[in-house]
Amino acid sequence: MSARSISEVPVPKVVIESSHITASPTLWDRLSNWASEHKAVIYTVGAVAVVVTGAGVVYYLSDSRKTTGTGERDLGVSEEKKKKSKKDRRKAKSQHADKDKEEQSKLAQATPAEPKVPKPVPVSAEDELPQVDETTVETLSSQERQEYAAKLKAAGNKAYGSKDYNKAIELYGKAILCKPDPIFYSNRAACYNALGEWEKVVEDTTAALALDNEYVKALNRRANAYEHLKQYSEALLDYTASCIVDAFSNEQSAQSVERLLKKVAEAKGKAMLAEREKRLPSPTFVTNYLQSFRNRPPPKGLEERAELEEGSGVNHLRAALVAVDRKSGEGYEEAARESTKAIELGNLGDHEALAYNMRGTFRYLMGENKEALGDLTKSIELQPSLSQSYIKRASMHLELGDRDSAAKDFELAIAQNNDDPDIYYHRAQLHFILGEFAEAAKDYQKSIDLDRDFIFSHIQLGVTQYKMGSIASSMATFRRCVKNFDKVPDVYNYYGELLLDQQKYEEAIQKFDTAVEMEKLAKPSNMNVLPLINKALALFQWKQNFSEAEALCQKALIIDPECDIAVATMAQLLLQQGKVPESLKYFERAAELSRTEGEIVNALSYAEATRTQLEVQEKYPRLAARLAGMGPGLRGPSL
């Protein structure tokens, strides 16, 4: 692995979505964002090679071998055609461009080529062409049918080259009467493709594939038609089969798979968001987010021993603060309810801004960004000096892709209170996410200078140094953290991540074990499960120990059943072992647990890729066997 995997979070998945420091999303990052520096990470699992792009999209890899696909039969493309110069090929392609040029450019291999065969059949004048129909064809001998079919196909190719698509359709149809050949069906489909008659493209390519189910151009043409018909799952399956037949040699087909995965996942993601009830993410997630802010005592008048009127708004607000301190799933649910109740009852006095801040925080965590932005803006209007509201609003702006508004909120917060270390810590997070590591390091240091007791500023500074390539400085920072914060489990967990990234497996596992034991002592029933998951990954990477890695993930899920990182890790471990049906269930569960649309699409991309593996295995068993037989040459780094 490289330094990339430590603490990197791809926009728009900002740091606060998985932890209080950017180091935490490395778990999901390892699963979904390898290619940013590894170029391509291949999982040859079961029967399908899967690649993860830097955007978190899974697709099937084209390997470096430039073998020729079977689709060269289409419209008579020969070896002579393949040896033509680039200039000649561009000229031929230009001659055959049509009104659907933009779509065809995506599928160059699906564009019918200029007729040319090693031994061309003479194209007869129209009055010399065989006249056949369903009745007369029955009177022809086998030899005559072969000869007539060749002449009609050649004439169809000529008509296609002249863009007389209707005439070509007629001629290919007669050729089919003489000889039902997959090439003839595919060529006629190419004509329908040029005319935009997508249902007929599907019909003819399906007929071609019934005769030859590994016919690449027919697969690509049908996939293209399915995509126009918005039947994205069907298109995805065909493009995937095409990639496998072509031994992953066609980059455009692989890109089509990536594009379709995104479309399928986006469509399903939007539907999932629209249908599901808003809820808080896992307790691990919420705890890590809330702990990214320094712990402060409750405001005067909201102390636990303060006498407040039963049923009043301020009493409910205090109940929310007490519930948060329990750091459990039930406590966070209660805090969300109580803060909402406090605002509904009103009469909060000087605490109204805090109430809106709290409700906005929980709305944000539930994915209700619009409502959360409204609450935080209201909090700022009521109490401009409450810098935490600016910080949280900035985080939301960043998650929504509005970098300028995020930066402006940090400036406003500094104008109100330039000595608040939280401002600099969270602004450093913004710089980190955007890859501005030098600026991030400055802000982390500023946060430390203002408050040396906040451990996460030290940890994140060390991680940033690591990202900048200053490995020695980073290790020194973590050694100081261990010395000065020896009772804090997070120090050992993230120190372990850096060691794991350097493939120092034994040392890393020792650090993870220390973090686990400290978590058990501090909060046995609500422990942070990230060290368990990190240890699982270390055991897998070091010893390929699937059983123990799975057991650790299962343990994490018993403690926190809604931990999306544990679910995603389990899915990948199962996929690595070829347990495709089981892994699909976990990928779907990961999508259910995801908080934002981007996270849902990411998880669903994995789910759809996995589902397509199963469909390929079922529909094209020979392709599955062929891919499995390609051997370790397609394998790449693992989790």
Side-chain angles (χ1 to χ4, degrees):
M1 295 193 302
S2 69
R4 177 217 57 77
S5 67
I6 289 292
S7 305
E8 180 177 343
V9 186
V11 175
K13 188 177 181 183
V14 299
V15 56
I16 53 178
E17 294 180 19
S18 293
S19 177
H20 47 287
I21 69 169
T22 43
S24 64
T26 60
L27 300 170
W28 179 258
D29 191 33
R30 287 193 193 103
L31 304 176
S32 66
N33 198 27
W34 283 77
S36 60
E37 288 187 20
H38 287 293
K39 299 188 185 299
V41 172
I42 314 153
Y43 298 110
T44 305
V45 185
V48 180
V50 184
V51 161
V52 185
T53 72
V57 179
V58 188
Y59 63 93
Y60 303 98
L61 177 70
S62 302
D63 75 7
S64 59
R65 293 170 293 173
K66 299 300 180 183
T67 55
T68 302
T70 59
E72 289 163 3
R73 303 171 301 173
D74 208 354
L75 285 173
V77 179
S78 67
E79 291 300 316
E80 179 182 352
K81 173 70 177 180
K82 289 184 286 180
K83 293 177 183 177
K84 282 189 174 184
S85 69
K86 290 184 178 179
K87 180 178 180 181
D88 290 336
R89 288 198 298 269
R90 285 196 298 267
K91 181 178 178 182
K93 184 176 178 181
S94 175
Q95 291 172 346
H96 300 141
D98 53 50
K99 65 181 181 181
D100 201 16
K101 189 177 294 182
E102 181 178 352
E103 276 300 318
Q104 292 306 301
S105 68
K106 297 178 184 176
L107 295 163
Q109 77 278 16
T111 304
E114 182 179 358
K116 189 174 182 69
V117 294
K119 295 180 180 179
V121 177
V123 180
S124 306
E126 188 164 341
D127 57 356
E128 297 177 3
L129 285 173
Q131 299 299 313
V132 295
D133 56 31
E134 292 181 359
T135 302
T136 59
V137 76
E138 297 296 330
T139 66
L140 301 176
S141 68
S142 176
Q143 181 64 30
E144 286 174 326
R145 291 187 186 190
Q146 292 278 357
E147 292 174 357
Y148 283 17
K151 289 181 180 180
L152 289 162
K153 176 205 170 189
N157 289 354
K158 182 178 180 181
Y160 182 91
S162 301
K163 297 186 181 180
D164 189 351
Y165 301 122
N166 288 315
K167 183 64 177 177
I169 287 169
E170 179 187 349
L171 292 165
Y172 289 135
K174 290 181 178 180
I176 289 168
L177 284 176
C178 296
K179 178 188 174 185
D181 188 286
I183 299 173
F184 303 164
Y185 280 111
S186 183
N187 285 2
R188 190 169 69 177
C191 299
Y192 288 128
N193 188 87
L195 297 171
E197 298 185 33
W198 308 116
E199 290 87 353
K200 291 184 178 179
V201 175
V202 170
E203 183 179 338
D204 268 359
T205 50
T206 299
L209 290 165
L211 297 168
D212 180 0
N213 68 0
E214 296 185 15
Y215 192 177
V216 169
K217 285 196 175 181
L219 283 166
N220 286 334
R221 287 192 176 120
R222 188 169 70 176
N224 183 45
Y226 276 140
E227 189 169 359
H228 277 89
L229 294 168
K230 301 188 185 305
Q231 295 177 237
Y232 299 132
S233 295
E234 291 83 353
L236 176 59
L237 179 61
D238 278 351
Y239 278 130
T240 300
S242 168
C243 283
I244 298 172
V245 172
D246 253 351
F248 304 101
S249 64
N250 193 307
E251 183 179 350
Q252 289 170 324
S253 295
Q255 290 173 350
S256 296
V257 172
E258 180 181 1
R259 183 180 67 253
L260 264 296
L261 275 171
K262 188 169 184 287
K263 284 187 176 182
V264 172
E266 284 178 345
K268 291 190 175 184
K270 289 183 184 296
M272 182 179 290
L273 271 177
E275 294 172 2
R276 79 178 185 183
E277 181 183 356
K278 298 292 184 182
R279 64 175 184 272
L280 288 172
S282 73
T284 297
F285 185 107
V286 178
T287 298
N288 289 337
Y289 173 64
L290 295 177
Q291 287 183 348
S292 69
F293 296 91
R294 285 159 174 80
N295 191 28
R296 291 181 170 86
K300 187 177 180 180
L302 291 179
E303 301 92 344
E304 194 167 354
R305 295 183 178 180
E307 295 184 6
L308 300 173
E309 181 183 349
E310 188 72 25
S312 65
V314 288
N315 190 50
H316 283 281
L317 182 57
R318 182 178 63 180
L321 293 170
V322 172
V324 165
D325 285 341
R326 297 209 302 271
K327 297 181 180 179
S328 65
E330 295 80 4
Y332 296 137
E333 294 286 352
E334 182 180 341
R337 291 192 302 271
E338 292 293 341
S339 60
T340 297
K341 187 67 174 178
I343 291 172
E344 290 173 352
L345 291 171
N347 296 321
L348 297 169
D350 294 339
H351 306 304
E352 189 175 5
L354 175 61
Y356 277 100
N357 177 292
M358 283 197 72
R359 188 174 74 171
T361 299
F362 285 107
R363 281 180 162 179
Y364 166 65
L365 290 168
M366 287 189 284
E368 298 176 336
N369 282 337
K370 183 179 178 180
E371 295 83 353
L373 282 170
D375 277 350
L376 290 169
T377 299
K378 178 69 171 177
S379 175
I380 290 168
E381 292 171 354
L382 290 167
Q383 188 179 335
S385 62
L386 188 57
S387 54
Q388 192 184 99
S389 295
Y390 291 102
I391 297 170
K392 291 178 178 178
R393 192 172 70 174
S395 297
M396 293 178 208
H397 283 311
L398 183 58
E399 183 173 296
L400 295 170
D402 191 348
R403 174 182 175 176
D404 291 340
S405 294
K408 184 178 179 181
D409 269 342
F410 282 118
E411 291 174 5
L412 292 171
I414 291 171
Q416 290 293 329
N417 185 359
N418 64 359
D419 290 330
D420 184 346
D422 277 346
I423 300 173
Y424 301 98
Y425 174 80
H426 284 274
R427 190 173 69 175
Q429 303 288 67
L430 180 148
H431 288 307
F432 187 99
I433 291 164
L434 298 175
E436 299 164 355
F437 300 123
E439 295 301 315
K442 290 178 184 177
D443 272 346
Y444 287 130
Q445 188 60 58
K446 176 70 171 178
S447 178
I448 292 170
D449 293 341
L450 291 169
D451 177 12
R452 303 196 69 84
D453 295 331
F454 188 62
I455 179 58
F456 301 117
S457 295
H458 296 271
I459 291 175
Q460 194 59 52
L461 176 61
V463 170
T464 303
Q465 291 168 334
Y466 193 89
K467 289 290 294 182
M468 294 171 71
S470 301
I471 309 301
S473 297
S474 174
M475 294 295 98
T477 297
F478 270 92
R479 285 193 293 273
R480 286 194 298 272
C481 286
V482 170
K483 180 179 179 181
N484 298 325
F485 301 93
D486 61 320
K487 304 300 182 184
V488 180
D490 300 88
V491 171
Y492 299 92
N493 181 51
Y494 297 114
Y495 193 2
E497 285 209 6
L498 296 181
L499 293 168
L500 177 58
D501 197 70
Q502 298 170 69
Q503 299 182 7
K504 296 179 179 179
Y505 299 115
E506 287 189 87
E507 293 179 65
I509 289 174
Q510 288 173 3
K511 296 294 185 290
F512 297 142
D513 283 339
T514 300
V516 169
E517 291 306 312
M518 288 183 173
E519 288 282 354
K520 286 180 181 177
L521 291 173
K523 39 187 177 178
S525 60
N526 295 307
M527 67 174 284
N528 186 338
V529 299
L530 297 182
L532 288 170
I533 303 168
N534 270 326
K535 183 179 179 181
L537 289 171
L539 287 169
F540 169 76
Q541 292 174 27
W542 184 20
K543 297 182 176 180
Q544 296 287 296
N545 190 335
F546 287 106
S547 59
E548 191 167 351
E550 281 188 41
L552 287 166
C553 287
Q554 290 287 11
K555 186 174 182 179
L557 287 169
I558 291 171
I559 296 168
D560 186 353
E562 297 192 346
C563 180
D564 60 336
I565 300 173
V567 172
T569 304
M570 178 65 80
Q572 284 286 5
L573 288 170
L574 292 167
L575 193 62
Q576 287 287 328
Q577 299 171 75
K579 299 177 181 179
V580 182
E582 295 91 335
S583 69
L584 175 59
K585 294 177 183 177
Y586 278 93
F587 281 130
E588 290 175 336
R589 177 62 176 157
E592 292 172 2
L593 295 173
S594 297
R595 190 176 61 85
T596 67
E597 184 174 347
E599 292 174 358
I600 291 172
V601 169
N602 189 33
L604 286 175
S605 293
Y606 274 100
E608 290 307 312
T610 307
R611 192 189 321 280
T612 303
Q613 291 187 45
L614 293 173
E615 291 176 0
V616 167
Q617 290 173 350
E618 180 179 345
K619 193 170 183 179
Y620 303 104
R622 285 203 307 170
L623 296 187
R626 180 187 304 176
L627 184 60
M630 289 180 184
L634 287 177
R635 292 187 182 273
S638 299
L639 298 175

PDB file of all heavy atoms in Angstrom, residues 1-8 29-30 34 36-38 466-467 471 497-498 500-503:
ATOM      1  N   MET A   1       0.851  -1.203   0.000  1.00  0.00           N
ATOM      2  CA  MET A   1       0.000   0.000   0.000  1.00  0.00           C
ATOM      3  C   MET A   1       0.877   1.240   0.000  1.00  0.00           C
ATOM      4  O   MET A   1       2.045   1.207   0.291  1.00  0.00           O
ATOM      5  CB  MET A   1      -0.899   0.021   1.232  1.00  0.00           C
ATOM      6  CG  MET A   1      -1.903  -1.109   1.240  1.00  0.00           C
ATOM      7  SD  MET A   1      -3.161  -0.844   2.487  1.00  0.00           S
ATOM      8  CE  MET A   1      -2.186  -0.717   3.950  1.00  0.00           C
ATOM      9  N   SER A   2       0.263   2.366  -0.249  1.00  0.00           N
ATOM     10  CA  SER A   2       0.994   3.623  -0.255  1.00  0.00           C
ATOM     11  C   SER A   2       0.439   4.533   0.810  1.00  0.00           C
ATOM     12  O   SER A   2      -0.549   4.243   1.458  1.00  0.00           O
ATOM     13  CB  SER A   2       0.847   4.292  -1.623  1.00  0.00           C
ATOM     14  OG  SER A   2      -0.471   4.724  -1.783  1.00  0.00           O
ATOM     15  N   ALA A   3       1.044   5.704   0.925  1.00  0.00           N
ATOM     16  CA  ALA A   3       0.575   6.664   1.935  1.00  0.00           C
ATOM     17  C   ALA A   3      -0.823   7.136   1.648  1.00  0.00           C
ATOM     18  O   ALA A   3      -1.498   7.636   2.529  1.00  0.00           O
ATOM     19  CB  ALA A   3       1.528   7.855   1.968  1.00  0.00           C
ATOM     20  N   ARG A   4      -1.277   6.942   0.418  1.00  0.00           N
ATOM     21  CA  ARG A   4      -2.609   7.402   0.055  1.00  0.00           C
ATOM     22  C   ARG A   4      -3.711   6.842   0.928  1.00  0.00           C
ATOM     23  O   ARG A   4      -4.673   7.521   1.260  1.00  0.00           O
ATOM     24  CB  ARG A   4      -2.912   6.990  -1.399  1.00  0.00           C
ATOM     25  CG  ARG A   4      -4.321   7.354  -1.847  1.00  0.00           C
ATOM     26  CD  ARG A   4      -4.898   6.284  -2.750  1.00  0.00           C
ATOM     27  NE  ARG A   4      -4.902   5.009  -2.095  1.00  0.00           N
ATOM     28  CZ  ARG A   4      -5.775   4.658  -1.183  1.00  0.00           C
ATOM     29  NH1 ARG A   4      -6.707   5.492  -0.791  1.00  0.00           N
ATOM     30  NH2 ARG A   4      -5.731   3.475  -0.633  1.00  0.00           N
ATOM     31  N   SER A   5      -3.586   5.583   1.317  1.00  0.00           N
ATOM     32  CA  SER A   5      -4.705   4.948   1.990  1.00  0.00           C
ATOM     33  C   SER A   5      -4.917   5.456   3.404  1.00  0.00           C
ATOM     34  O   SER A   5      -5.964   5.261   3.979  1.00  0.00           O
ATOM     35  CB  SER A   5      -4.507   3.429   2.013  1.00  0.00           C
ATOM     36  OG  SER A   5      -3.419   3.104   2.832  1.00  0.00           O
ATOM     37  N   ILE A   6      -3.923   6.118   3.950  1.00  0.00           N
ATOM     38  CA  ILE A   6      -4.092   6.647   5.298  1.00  0.00           C
ATOM     39  C   ILE A   6      -4.836   7.970   5.241  1.00  0.00           C
ATOM     40  O   ILE A   6      -4.389   8.937   4.654  1.00  0.00           O
ATOM     41  CB  ILE A   6      -2.734   6.844   5.970  1.00  0.00           C
ATOM     42  CG1 ILE A   6      -2.129   5.478   6.287  1.00  0.00           C
ATOM     43  CG2 ILE A   6      -2.834   7.666   7.240  1.00  0.00           C
ATOM     44  CD1 ILE A   6      -2.849   4.716   7.345  1.00  0.00           C
ATOM     45  N   SER A   7      -5.981   7.983   5.855  1.00  0.00           N
ATOM     46  CA  SER A   7      -6.729   9.198   6.145  1.00  0.00           C
ATOM     47  C   SER A   7      -7.228   9.967   4.943  1.00  0.00           C
ATOM     48  O   SER A   7      -7.614  11.107   5.065  1.00  0.00           O
ATOM     49  CB  SER A   7      -5.870  10.153   6.987  1.00  0.00           C
ATOM     50  OG  SER A   7      -5.441   9.482   8.119  1.00  0.00           O
ATOM     51  N   GLU A   8      -7.235   9.350   3.785  1.00  0.00           N
ATOM     52  CA  GLU A   8      -7.714  10.082   2.626  1.00  0.00           C
ATOM     53  C   GLU A   8      -9.201   9.883   2.482  1.00  0.00           C
ATOM     54  O   GLU A   8      -9.702   8.778   2.565  1.00  0.00           O
ATOM     55  CB  GLU A   8      -7.019   9.582   1.365  1.00  0.00           C
ATOM     56  CG  GLU A   8      -7.474  10.321   0.125  1.00  0.00           C
ATOM     57  CD  GLU A   8      -6.704   9.848  -1.094  1.00  0.00           C
ATOM     58  OE1 GLU A   8      -5.655   9.220  -0.913  1.00  0.00           O
ATOM     59  OE2 GLU A   8      -7.173  10.111  -2.196  1.00  0.00           O
ATOM     60  N   ASP A  29     -12.032   3.732   2.674  1.00  0.00           N
ATOM     61  CA  ASP A  29     -11.155   4.198   1.606  1.00  0.00           C
ATOM     62  C   ASP A  29     -10.393   3.034   0.998  1.00  0.00           C
ATOM     63  O   ASP A  29     -10.244   2.942  -0.210  1.00  0.00           O
ATOM     64  CB  ASP A  29     -10.194   5.227   2.186  1.00  0.00           C
ATOM     65  CG  ASP A  29      -9.423   5.977   1.126  1.00  0.00           C
ATOM     66  OD1 ASP A  29      -9.985   6.199   0.045  1.00  0.00           O
ATOM     67  OD2 ASP A  29      -8.278   6.331   1.398  1.00  0.00           O
ATOM     68  N   ARG A  30      -9.893   2.128   1.853  1.00  0.00           N
ATOM     69  CA  ARG A  30      -9.170   0.989   1.322  1.00  0.00           C
ATOM     70  C   ARG A  30     -10.078   0.139   0.443  1.00  0.00           C
ATOM     71  O   ARG A  30      -9.638  -0.513  -0.488  1.00  0.00           O
ATOM     72  CB  ARG A  30      -8.634   0.108   2.457  1.00  0.00           C
ATOM     73  CG  ARG A  30      -7.456   0.715   3.190  1.00  0.00           C
ATOM     74  CD  ARG A  30      -6.798  -0.343   4.054  1.00  0.00           C
ATOM     75  NE  ARG A  30      -5.879   0.289   4.995  1.00  0.00           N
ATOM     76  CZ  ARG A  30      -6.148   0.467   6.269  1.00  0.00           C
ATOM     77  NH1 ARG A  30      -7.285   0.074   6.755  1.00  0.00           N
ATOM     78  NH2 ARG A  30      -5.277   1.048   7.055  1.00  0.00           N
ATOM     79  N   TRP A  34      -8.921   2.737  -4.113  1.00  0.00           N
ATOM     80  CA  TRP A  34      -7.530   2.376  -4.335  1.00  0.00           C
ATOM     81  C   TRP A  34      -6.951   3.043  -5.575  1.00  0.00           C
ATOM     82  O   TRP A  34      -5.793   3.415  -5.612  1.00  0.00           O
ATOM     83  CB  TRP A  34      -7.427   0.865  -4.525  1.00  0.00           C
ATOM     84  CG  TRP A  34      -7.515   0.101  -3.279  1.00  0.00           C
ATOM     85  CD1 TRP A  34      -8.644  -0.167  -2.566  1.00  0.00           C
ATOM     86  CD2 TRP A  34      -6.447  -0.510  -2.566  1.00  0.00           C
ATOM     87  NE1 TRP A  34      -8.337  -0.903  -1.465  1.00  0.00           N
ATOM     88  CE2 TRP A  34      -7.000  -1.139  -1.442  1.00  0.00           C
ATOM     89  CE3 TRP A  34      -5.078  -0.589  -2.782  1.00  0.00           C
ATOM     90  CZ2 TRP A  34      -6.242  -1.837  -0.537  1.00  0.00           C
ATOM     91  CZ3 TRP A  34      -4.319  -1.291  -1.886  1.00  0.00           C
ATOM     92  CH2 TRP A  34      -4.895  -1.903  -0.767  1.00  0.00           C
ATOM     93  N   SER A  36      -6.804   5.740  -7.067  1.00  0.00           N
ATOM     94  CA  SER A  36      -6.250   7.087  -7.140  1.00  0.00           C
ATOM     95  C   SER A  36      -4.730   7.069  -7.189  1.00  0.00           C
ATOM     96  O   SER A  36      -4.124   7.941  -7.782  1.00  0.00           O
ATOM     97  CB  SER A  36      -6.728   7.924  -5.951  1.00  0.00           C
ATOM     98  OG  SER A  36      -6.309   7.330  -4.751  1.00  0.00           O
ATOM     99  N   GLU A  37      -4.101   6.071  -6.581  1.00  0.00           N
ATOM    100  CA  GLU A  37      -2.655   5.985  -6.667  1.00  0.00           C
ATOM    101  C   GLU A  37      -2.169   4.618  -7.134  1.00  0.00           C
ATOM    102  O   GLU A  37      -1.043   4.475  -7.564  1.00  0.00           O
ATOM    103  CB  GLU A  37      -2.006   6.337  -5.325  1.00  0.00           C
ATOM    104  CG  GLU A  37      -2.108   7.820  -5.027  1.00  0.00           C
ATOM    105  CD  GLU A  37      -1.319   8.200  -3.789  1.00  0.00           C
ATOM    106  OE1 GLU A  37      -0.417   7.445  -3.384  1.00  0.00           O
ATOM    107  OE2 GLU A  37      -1.631   9.242  -3.245  1.00  0.00           O
ATOM    108  N   HIS A  38      -3.025   3.618  -7.071  1.00  0.00           N
ATOM    109  CA  HIS A  38      -2.621   2.297  -7.550  1.00  0.00           C
ATOM    110  C   HIS A  38      -3.008   2.104  -9.014  1.00  0.00           C
ATOM    111  O   HIS A  38      -2.789   1.034  -9.557  1.00  0.00           O
ATOM    112  CB  HIS A  38      -3.293   1.199  -6.707  1.00  0.00           C
ATOM    113  CG  HIS A  38      -2.696   1.085  -5.348  1.00  0.00           C
ATOM    114  ND1 HIS A  38      -1.423   0.653  -5.121  1.00  0.00           N
ATOM    115  CD2 HIS A  38      -3.214   1.376  -4.128  1.00  0.00           C
ATOM    116  CE1 HIS A  38      -1.174   0.653  -3.825  1.00  0.00           C
ATOM    117  NE2 HIS A  38      -2.234   1.086  -3.209  1.00  0.00           N
ATOM    118  N   TYR A 466       2.404  12.387   7.352  1.00  0.00           N
ATOM    119  CA  TYR A 466       2.561  11.136   6.611  1.00  0.00           C
ATOM    120  C   TYR A 466       2.133  11.316   5.159  1.00  0.00           C
ATOM    121  O   TYR A 466       2.818  10.864   4.231  1.00  0.00           O
ATOM    122  CB  TYR A 466       1.730  10.055   7.290  1.00  0.00           C
ATOM    123  CG  TYR A 466       2.030   8.648   6.823  1.00  0.00           C
ATOM    124  CD1 TYR A 466       3.020   7.890   7.432  1.00  0.00           C
ATOM    125  CD2 TYR A 466       1.314   8.080   5.780  1.00  0.00           C
ATOM    126  CE1 TYR A 466       3.289   6.592   7.021  1.00  0.00           C
ATOM    127  CE2 TYR A 466       1.579   6.791   5.359  1.00  0.00           C
ATOM    128  CZ  TYR A 466       2.570   6.051   5.970  1.00  0.00           C
ATOM    129  OH  TYR A 466       2.839   4.777   5.556  1.00  0.00           O
ATOM    130  N   LYS A 467       1.022  11.991   4.959  1.00  0.00           N
ATOM    131  CA  LYS A 467       0.521  12.236   3.599  1.00  0.00           C
ATOM    132  C   LYS A 467       1.483  13.100   2.812  1.00  0.00           C
ATOM    133  O   LYS A 467       1.571  12.995   1.588  1.00  0.00           O
ATOM    134  CB  LYS A 467      -0.849  12.905   3.656  1.00  0.00           C
ATOM    135  CG  LYS A 467      -1.964  12.007   4.120  1.00  0.00           C
ATOM    136  CD  LYS A 467      -2.294  10.940   3.091  1.00  0.00           C
ATOM    137  CE  LYS A 467      -2.870  11.543   1.824  1.00  0.00           C
ATOM    138  NZ  LYS A 467      -3.240  10.491   0.840  1.00  0.00           N
ATOM    139  N   ILE A 471       7.634  10.825   6.601  1.00  0.00           N
ATOM    140  CA  ILE A 471       7.354   9.633   7.407  1.00  0.00           C
ATOM    141  C   ILE A 471       8.015   9.719   8.776  1.00  0.00           C
ATOM    142  O   ILE A 471       7.395   9.419   9.801  1.00  0.00           O
ATOM    143  CB  ILE A 471       7.832   8.360   6.666  1.00  0.00           C
ATOM    144  CG1 ILE A 471       7.292   8.330   5.227  1.00  0.00           C
ATOM    145  CG2 ILE A 471       7.392   7.126   7.440  1.00  0.00           C
ATOM    146  CD1 ILE A 471       5.806   8.362   5.125  1.00  0.00           C
ATOM    147  N   GLU A 497      -2.703   2.221  12.074  1.00  0.00           N
ATOM    148  CA  GLU A 497      -3.031   2.389  10.649  1.00  0.00           C
ATOM    149  C   GLU A 497      -1.794   2.804   9.856  1.00  0.00           C
ATOM    150  O   GLU A 497      -1.557   2.316   8.745  1.00  0.00           O
ATOM    151  CB  GLU A 497      -4.141   3.421  10.473  1.00  0.00           C
ATOM    152  CG  GLU A 497      -5.506   2.911  10.863  1.00  0.00           C
ATOM    153  CD  GLU A 497      -6.605   3.595  10.080  1.00  0.00           C
ATOM    154  OE1 GLU A 497      -6.290   4.379   9.158  1.00  0.00           O
ATOM    155  OE2 GLU A 497      -7.778   3.334  10.371  1.00  0.00           O
ATOM    156  N   LEU A 498      -1.000   3.710  10.412  1.00  0.00           N
ATOM    157  CA  LEU A 498       0.212   4.136   9.712  1.00  0.00           C
ATOM    158  C   LEU A 498       1.196   2.971   9.584  1.00  0.00           C
ATOM    159  O   LEU A 498       1.827   2.796   8.534  1.00  0.00           O
ATOM    160  CB  LEU A 498       0.876   5.290  10.461  1.00  0.00           C
ATOM    161  CG  LEU A 498       0.084   6.603  10.550  1.00  0.00           C
ATOM    162  CD1 LEU A 498       0.896   7.646  11.296  1.00  0.00           C
ATOM    163  CD2 LEU A 498      -0.287   7.115   9.175  1.00  0.00           C
ATOM    164  N   LEU A 500       0.390  -0.188   9.541  1.00  0.00           N
ATOM    165  CA  LEU A 500      -0.202  -1.115   8.581  1.00  0.00           C
ATOM    166  C   LEU A 500       0.071  -0.654   7.154  1.00  0.00           C
ATOM    167  O   LEU A 500       0.369  -1.453   6.272  1.00  0.00           O
ATOM    168  CB  LEU A 500      -1.710  -1.226   8.830  1.00  0.00           C
ATOM    169  CG  LEU A 500      -2.512  -2.114   7.862  1.00  0.00           C
ATOM    170  CD1 LEU A 500      -1.963  -3.541   7.860  1.00  0.00           C
ATOM    171  CD2 LEU A 500      -3.986  -2.105   8.251  1.00  0.00           C
ATOM    172  N   ASP A 501       0.004   0.645   6.933  1.00  0.00           N
ATOM    173  CA  ASP A 501       0.263   1.176   5.607  1.00  0.00           C
ATOM    174  C   ASP A 501       1.709   0.924   5.176  1.00  0.00           C
ATOM    175  O   ASP A 501       1.999   0.810   3.988  1.00  0.00           O
ATOM    176  CB  ASP A 501      -0.030   2.680   5.569  1.00  0.00           C
ATOM    177  CG  ASP A 501      -0.164   3.194   4.157  1.00  0.00           C
ATOM    178  OD1 ASP A 501      -1.170   2.845   3.509  1.00  0.00           O
ATOM    179  OD2 ASP A 501       0.735   3.912   3.695  1.00  0.00           O
ATOM    180  N   GLN A 502       2.600   0.818   6.169  1.00  0.00           N
ATOM    181  CA  GLN A 502       4.006   0.515   5.886  1.00  0.00           C
ATOM    182  C   GLN A 502       4.275  -0.993   5.891  1.00  0.00           C
ATOM    183  O   GLN A 502       5.422  -1.421   5.802  1.00  0.00           O
ATOM    184  CB  GLN A 502       4.897   1.198   6.924  1.00  0.00           C
ATOM    185  CG  GLN A 502       4.799   2.709   6.907  1.00  0.00           C
ATOM    186  CD  GLN A 502       5.502   3.338   8.089  1.00  0.00           C
ATOM    187  OE1 GLN A 502       6.727   3.310   8.199  1.00  0.00           O
ATOM    188  NE2 GLN A 502       4.734   3.898   9.004  1.00  0.00           N
ATOM    189  N   GLN A 503       3.200  -1.780   6.007  1.00  0.00           N
ATOM    190  CA  GLN A 503       3.274  -3.238   6.017  1.00  0.00           C
ATOM    191  C   GLN A 503       4.073  -3.777   7.209  1.00  0.00           C
ATOM    192  O   GLN A 503       4.653  -4.853   7.153  1.00  0.00           O
ATOM    193  CB  GLN A 503       3.847  -3.765   4.700  1.00  0.00           C
ATOM    194  CG  GLN A 503       2.986  -3.396   3.508  1.00  0.00           C
ATOM    195  CD  GLN A 503       3.497  -3.945   2.199  1.00  0.00           C
ATOM    196  OE1 GLN A 503       4.437  -4.731   2.164  1.00  0.00           O
ATOM    197  NE2 GLN A 503       2.885  -3.537   1.089  1.00  0.00           N
TER     198      GLN A 503
END
